[in-house]
Amino acid sequence: MKLSFVARPLVEADGDVLVVGGYAEEKRLSPPVAALDRALKGLLSEVLRTEKFVGKPEQIAYVHTAGRLPARRVLVVGLGRRKELDAERVRRAVAAAVRRSRDLGAKVVSTALLVDDLSPKVSAQALAEGALLGAYTFDRYKREKNEKAVEELRVVDPQRRQEAAIKNGLRLGELFAGAACFARDLVNEPANRVTPTHLAKVAAEIAKDGRLRLKVYERADCQKLGMGAYLGVAQGSQEPPKFIHLTYTPRGRGRRKIAIVGKGITFDSGGLDLKTADGMRTMKDDMSGAAAVLAIMRSLPALALPLEVHGIIAATENMPSGTAQRPGDIVRAMNGTTIEIGNTDAEGRLTLADALAYAAKEVEPQELIDLATLTAAVVVALGNLCSGVMWSDKPLADRVLAAAEAAGERMWPLPLIDEYKELLKSDVADLNNVGPRGGGALTAGIFLREFAGSTPWVHLDIAGTAFSEKDLPLGPKGGTGVGVRTILTYLMEEARRR
Ligand code: BES
Ligand code: ZN
Ligand code: ZN
């Protein structure tokens, strides 16, 4: 979908559909929409009345213009109450409007900026994100594809002086949504395609296109580095593990360093502690953290932020086999910590243990962030619409939470209660990789904290949010690309903070 800016009053906007916003609890149409209504001789307000359009979020009504306006249809999308309006309302409204336009067969959609209360840049970014995320589909394996697609979205604004800000917002929105959709594609691809080797290949393409540094450690390299926890998980699979390290280096020296680690289990069968059939059904999504890291790293050259960013993925499958790791095995992580395998299905934290220890030791970043589909417990706690956030550094977590809010991704703090470290005690090793059922997201977080060491660290448990079994306002069922826009927003703020 091409995005463009057109300086023109709404009554002169063309296209197959012209999208405008309608607020709840307002008697009168906003002035530009009222102008459209006058041109249509009151037809728009009449249809809104008979269709009982009340401006509820994402509610839609539309009319044909029958030649009275250059646009062939005017579509009004609900924005809810004016005083509750934020960027997320705009994203969702535009997503709904673009989907409906597509279903109507529209190729060119014009839209007003929708809101005056947000800055033109923020508004335009939200608009672009809503359109691109909302129109996302994954049909590359289907014979029957949706032939209908919106090819162009034109943002119409009468004022030329907002042009630069709007174009800037559109570009950012395109970048952010493009990144999220890149992650969605990787998650939606099945595990027979997306192997650790495939992730390494994708990393190589990203490195080549964006001139990033790439180091891929093979099994033997990881052995030399002492990554026993990661390799213990990998030993059950026929697929060779790939430890991926991408680096974005900005121009200039002495920049702050940030490392982002993503859980990259390309399929989680549970290992010898095998999952149930239903528990395994969506476990191709267990590399969603890795997908987010790749998507973020891929976007950095275009953003040109003055930050050194490291993307790290310990990619492997978790499979049961004659060579698989057993419950009761003891492994040694890169930082020297020994771990008793209480359950082979708690494999994510084992791979992350070495990835975090590697990041802390080899990169020495000022900030360390991980994204992981880590625990079923976080789904029990927060459901499928909210990720869990845990940390060793509160100011860092506060900044990530603020970025999530701005990006419209729900994330909520969970406490890493020190006394719960007891629950990870082992009789034979420094740590057990599992605790009791209660507080499962927290003990997983406490386990990870040991390997981040003294580096300020924040952990996002995206087990509930990375993959949706239902269509959502900003995308169809399947991979969601969660975390991508939050971290990109966070990085942009970080670049500004200095
Ligand atoms: N990948 C799973 C977590 C998961 C569960 C992600 C549901 C998405 C949806 C993880 O590796 C896992 O199996 N965790 C276990 C840990 C347990 C054995 C301590 C869990 O949460 O059940
Ligand atoms: Zn598991
Ligand atoms: Zn897993």
Side-chain angles (χ1 to χ4, degrees):
M1 192 187 308
K2 192 179 144 226
L3 305 181
S4 59
F5 171 83
V6 184
R8 192 178 289 176
L10 268 193
V11 287
E12 291 173 24
D14 55 6
D16 301 307
V17 177
L18 169 60
V19 175
V20 297
Y23 290 101
E25 294 171 12
E26 289 190 7
K27 288 260 151 52
R28 252 171 282 163
L29 296 171
S30 64
V33 180
L36 294 173
D37 189 40
R38 277 194 301 279
L40 291 168
K41 304 213 168 26
L43 180 64
L44 184 59
S45 45
E46 189 183 326
V47 166
L48 292 179
R49 227 174 301 124
T50 52
E51 295 295 321
K52 299 201 167 54
F53 180 90
V54 291
K56 268 192 306 194
E58 292 142 73
Q59 188 185 11
I60 283 172
Y62 73 93
V63 295
H64 286 265
T65 58
R68 293 198 168 115
L69 285 170
R72 291 174 63 190
R73 304 175 188 85
V74 173
L75 184 151
V76 188
V77 60
L79 291 169
R81 289 198 196 96
R82 193 185 282 270
K83 63 175 192 294
E84 288 167 10
L85 194 83
D86 58 8
E88 184 61 10
R89 277 276 167 85
V90 175
R91 286 187 200 100
R92 292 179 180 206
V94 173
V98 166
R99 274 194 303 263
R100 176 68 72 87
S101 300
R102 175 185 67 196
D103 296 345
L104 290 169
K107 293 203 158 35
V108 178
V109 175
S110 293
T111 175
L113 249 202
L114 294 185
V115 275
D116 326 311
D117 301 0
L118 303 171
S119 79
K121 181 173 168 216
V122 168
S123 194
Q125 182 180 346
L127 219 132
E129 289 179 2
L132 295 167
L133 294 170
Y136 174 85
T137 54
F138 182 78
D139 59 6
R140 62 174 295 196
Y141 295 104
K142 286 174 87 84
R143 184 175 289 135
E144 230 170 88
K145 307 199 193 289
N146 193 352
E147 299 297 329
K148 294 176 178 170
V150 173
E151 288 163 7
E152 190 179 346
L153 182 74
R154 296 182 187 155
V155 177
V156 182
D157 191 86
Q159 295 177 45
R160 267 258 176 239
R161 65 184 167 77
Q162 301 201 337
E163 177 167 355
I166 291 173
K167 282 186 169 166
N168 222 328
L170 290 178
R171 190 187 73 93
L172 264 188
E174 202 169 5
L175 211 97
F176 277 38
C181 292
F182 180 85
R184 286 178 179 182
D185 278 345
L186 267 177
V187 174
N188 288 332
E189 286 282 350
N192 56 338
R193 281 193 72 94
V194 176
T195 58
T197 303
H198 181 81
L199 289 181
K201 246 186 231 147
V202 172
E205 280 162 26
I206 290 169
K208 181 159 164 283
D209 294 346
R211 298 160 172 266
L212 307 190
R213 195 164 69 221
L214 171 65
K215 182 97 187 74
V216 178
Y217 297 92
E218 306 294 335
R219 194 193 309 265
D221 304 318
C222 297
Q223 247 144 15
K224 280 187 205 118
L225 285 165
M227 297 181 171
Y230 166 47
L231 291 179
V233 176
Q235 78 190 34
S237 171
Q238 298 278 358
E239 293 291 338
K242 303 280 171 180
F243 188 100
I244 300 162
H245 178 177
L246 277 165
T247 308
Y248 168 76
T249 317
R251 289 172 198 285
R253 301 197 131 262
R255 303 297 192 181
R256 229 184 18 256
K257 273 191 277 190
I258 301 176
I260 307 170
V261 174
K263 173 173 171 181
I265 301 295
T266 58
F267 188 74
D268 182 9
S269 71
L272 287 178
D273 285 309
L274 197 65
K275 288 185 182 293
T276 60
D278 195 52
M280 224 181 277
R281 206 166 35 83
T282 60
M283 280 302 130
K284 69 171 182 181
D285 83 346
D286 216 16
M287 37 58 74
S288 298
V293 167
L294 290 172
I296 292 159
M297 297 307 293
R298 180 172 170 269
S299 311
L300 293 177
L303 284 174
L305 300 177
L307 299 166
E308 183 175 314
V309 185
H310 296 255
I312 295 165
I313 299 162
T316 174
E317 277 189 327
N318 183 28
M319 297 298 256
S321 74
T323 63
Q325 129 172 297
R326 293 146 289 254
D329 282 2
I330 299 174
V331 294
R332 186 184 298 275
M334 186 176 166
N335 71 347
T337 304
T338 57
I339 306 163
E340 178 188 1
I341 308 301
N343 190 316
T344 64
D345 196 11
E347 84 298 337
R349 63 195 75 178
L350 295 167
T351 62
L352 290 167
D354 277 328
L356 292 170
Y358 170 89
K361 176 156 177 263
E362 301 291 324
V363 177
E364 298 187 72
Q366 277 80 47
E367 289 154 26
L368 181 51
I369 304 176
D370 80 73
L371 302 102
T373 46
L374 202 62
T375 67
V378 85
V379 194
V380 174
L382 300 174
N384 293 109
L385 296 179
C386 186
S387 309
V389 182
M390 289 147 266
W391 60 81
S392 66
D393 187 86
K394 175 86 164 33
L396 171 59
D398 284 342
R399 295 197 299 275
V400 172
L401 285 162
E405 171 81 31
E409 295 191 317
R410 292 192 185 90
M411 300 199 179
W412 208 256
L414 296 173
L416 294 187
I417 296 165
D418 274 323
E419 286 97 312
Y420 290 172
K421 201 186 159 192
E422 291 273 314
L423 304 174
L424 291 172
K425 273 200 172 142
S426 160
D427 295 333
V428 289
D430 299 326
L431 284 175
N432 196 300
N433 79 327
V434 288
R437 231 154 72 91
L442 314 183
T443 42
I446 289 165
F447 183 92
L448 296 186
R449 186 174 63 184
E450 293 300 307
F451 300 89
S454 56
T455 307
W457 158 82
V458 61
H459 158 56
L460 308 181
D461 193 336
I462 55 172
T465 50
F467 193 92
S468 178
E469 306 253 18
K470 286 193 286 215
D471 289 346
L472 296 171
L474 292 184
K477 57 176 93 171
T480 61
V482 72
V484 173
R485 288 183 302 110
T486 290
I487 300 298
L488 287 176
T489 305
Y490 167 79
L491 291 173
M492 288 195 59
E493 284 302 317
E494 283 304 280
R496 257 222 294 242
R497 209 160 65 88
R498 45 209 340 280

